[in-house]
């Protein structure tokens, strides 16, 4: 069931976590996700290209920040189009049952996948679940001591007492709770809503409980913006590669504009135009259509 907030303040702020509050995106994907993709999907012979494809999808494209399962499929799709992979005769197979499950399920996390595996006995879904669990184990063993970006804490402090705050993320809840607790940020938010709680669009349906222009999503990826638009939320972008300045600007001017109802319009438009220039839709390397 999607989390339902009981408003205590006039304003609502949703906040993404990985790559937005914490500088964990590069660490998690390069050291945890991608090695497991290469291992579990037998991509050792094209590991260089698999790494580039997965990094593009998860870090350096407009798909940045999407859920791990559609990201896995998209990385495989780019890999299938890579001339060097084709020339090596590498067989890149994308399980149709995985694509079907992604299309039908909204809570794209291990619990939902476990239930589907138990129901279907599908070997491809079972294998994907093993991969996903291995990722979680690697993240648990690897990711620690990654502090929030400078200015994050003082932004949360500035919003305290003025806005209800929710963590709105595609990351598993356990990892989110560990990270927000480790750095003593858990105290600022009403609830942590990770992948098990539903997708970001579903979590942000809580915005309907507040007045127009009094809800805001903070994120570092186009998917965060789409979830905001779907729920008539304003959007403040944390620009990938320029996170420190983004948070500083939010503290210096963005919060005040939001609380004074001066965020919508020209200010929002300028932020979105700038954000759009940070991430490309297509990779720099050649692809075969």
């Amino acid at each position: 069931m999607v989390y339902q907030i009981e408003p205590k303040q006039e304003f609502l702020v949703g906040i993404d976590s990985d790559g937005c509050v914490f500088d964990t995106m590069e660490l998690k994907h390069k050291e945890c996700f991608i090695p497991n993709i290469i291992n579990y999907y037998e991509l050792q012979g094209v590991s260089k290209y698999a790494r580039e494809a997965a990094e593009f999808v998860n870090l350096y494209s407009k798909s940045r920040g999407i859920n791990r399962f559609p990201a896995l499929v998209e990385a495989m799709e780019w890999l299938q189009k890579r001339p060097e992979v084709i020339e090596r005769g590498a067989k890149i197979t994308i399980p149709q049952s995985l694509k079907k499950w992604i299309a039908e399920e909204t809570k794209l996390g291990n619990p939902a996948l476990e239930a589907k595996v138990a129901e279907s006995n599908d070997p491809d879904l079972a294998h994907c679940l093993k991969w996903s669990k291995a990722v979680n184990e690697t993240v648990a063993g690897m990711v620690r001591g990654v502090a929030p970006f400078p200015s994050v804490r003082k932004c949360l402090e500035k919003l305290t007492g003025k806005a209800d705050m929710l963590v709105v993320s595609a990351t598993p809840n356990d990892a989110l709770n560990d990270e927000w607790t480790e750095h003593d940020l858990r105290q600022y938010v009403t609830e942590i809503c990770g992948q098990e709680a539903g997708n970001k669009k579903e979590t942000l349906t809580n915005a309907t409980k507040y007045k127009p222009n009094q809800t805001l999503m903070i994120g570092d990826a186009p998917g965060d913006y789409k979830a905001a638009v779907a729920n008539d939320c304003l959007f403040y972008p944390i620009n990938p590669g320029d996170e420190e300045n983004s948070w500083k600007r939010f503290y210096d001017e963005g919060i005040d504009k939001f609380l004074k109802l001066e965020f919508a319009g020209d200010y929002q438009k300028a932020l979105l135009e700038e954000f759009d220039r940070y991430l490309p839709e297509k990779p720099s390397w050649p692809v075969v259509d």
Side-chain angles (χ1 to χ4, degrees), residues 46-73:
V46 290
S47 63
K48 172 185 175 181
Y49 307 108
R51 180 172 292 278
E52 288 181 351
E55 287 182 5
F56 175 72
V57 170
N58 291 291
L59 300 173
Y60 309 130
S61 76
K62 285 186 164 38
S63 292
R64 174 185 169 95
I66 65 173
N67 178 276
R68 67 178 62 183
F69 299 108
L72 174 65
V73 169

Side-chain angles (χ1 to χ4, degrees), residues 199-250:
N199 60 40
K200 295 177 183 180
K201 178 181 174 181
E202 290 177 322
T203 299
L204 283 179
T205 57
N206 283 286
T208 60
K209 301 175 182 179
Y210 299 79
K211 293 180 181 179
N213 294 330
Q214 293 184 197
T215 60
L216 175 73
M217 176 67 188
I218 304 172
D220 64 311
D224 300 324
Y225 171 60
K226 291 176 183 176
V229 169
N231 290 284
D232 295 321
C233 289
L234 298 166
F235 182 70
Y236 185 83
I238 302 300
N239 294 323
D242 198 27
E243 294 89 354
E244 287 88 345
N245 286 327
S246 296
W247 278 107
K248 183 178 185 303
R249 178 169 60 184
F250 187 56

Side-chain angles (χ1 to χ4, degrees), residues 27-188:
L27 176 63
K28 285 186 178 181
H29 285 286
K30 292 183 177 181
E31 308 301 335
C32 305
F33 278 84
I34 295 172
N36 279 300
I37 291 173
I38 292 168
N39 187 30
Y40 276 81
Y41 286 90
E42 302 296 332
L43 300 175
Q44 289 86 346
V46 290
S47 63
K48 172 185 175 181
Y49 307 108
R51 180 172 292 278
E52 288 181 351
E55 287 182 5
F56 175 72
V57 170
N58 291 291
L59 300 173
Y60 309 130
S61 76
K62 285 186 164 38
S63 292
R64 174 185 169 95
I66 65 173
N67 178 276
R68 67 178 62 183
F69 299 108
L72 174 65
V73 169
E74 186 177 337
M76 296 285 201
E77 288 172 342
W78 283 117
L79 206 53
Q80 287 177 330
K81 299 176 182 178
R82 192 76 189 254
E84 298 91 337
V85 173
I86 296 170
E87 289 166 2
R88 282 163 174 72
K91 187 175 177 61
I92 311 299
T93 303
I94 304 172
Q96 289 304 305
S97 57
L98 177 59
K99 295 177 74 172
K100 186 172 185 291
W101 177 71
I102 289 169
E104 295 173 349
E105 178 61 60
T106 60
K107 295 178 175 61
L108 293 173
N110 286 359
L113 185 53
E114 284 177 341
K116 189 65 177 178
V117 169
E119 171 198 318
S120 66
N121 275 328
D122 185 285
D124 290 327
L125 292 181
H127 186 73
C128 187
L129 179 60
K130 288 181 181 178
W131 163 76
S132 186
K133 286 183 174 181
V135 169
N136 287 359
E137 289 173 6
T138 310
V139 168
M142 172 68 70
V143 181
R144 59 188 177 276
V146 182
F149 287 109
S151 299
V152 167
R153 188 180 304 277
K154 63 181 186 178
C155 284
L156 299 179
E157 290 172 348
K158 190 171 182 178
L159 286 166
T160 297
K162 302 179 180 69
D164 296 318
M165 290 179 271
L166 290 177
V167 176
V168 182
S169 173
T171 299
N173 271 61
D174 286 347
L176 291 169
N177 275 297
D178 288 347
E179 289 160 8
W180 283 71
T181 300
E182 177 187 358
H183 299 284
D184 198 28
L185 297 183
R186 181 68 179 83
Q187 60 178 310
Y188 298 109

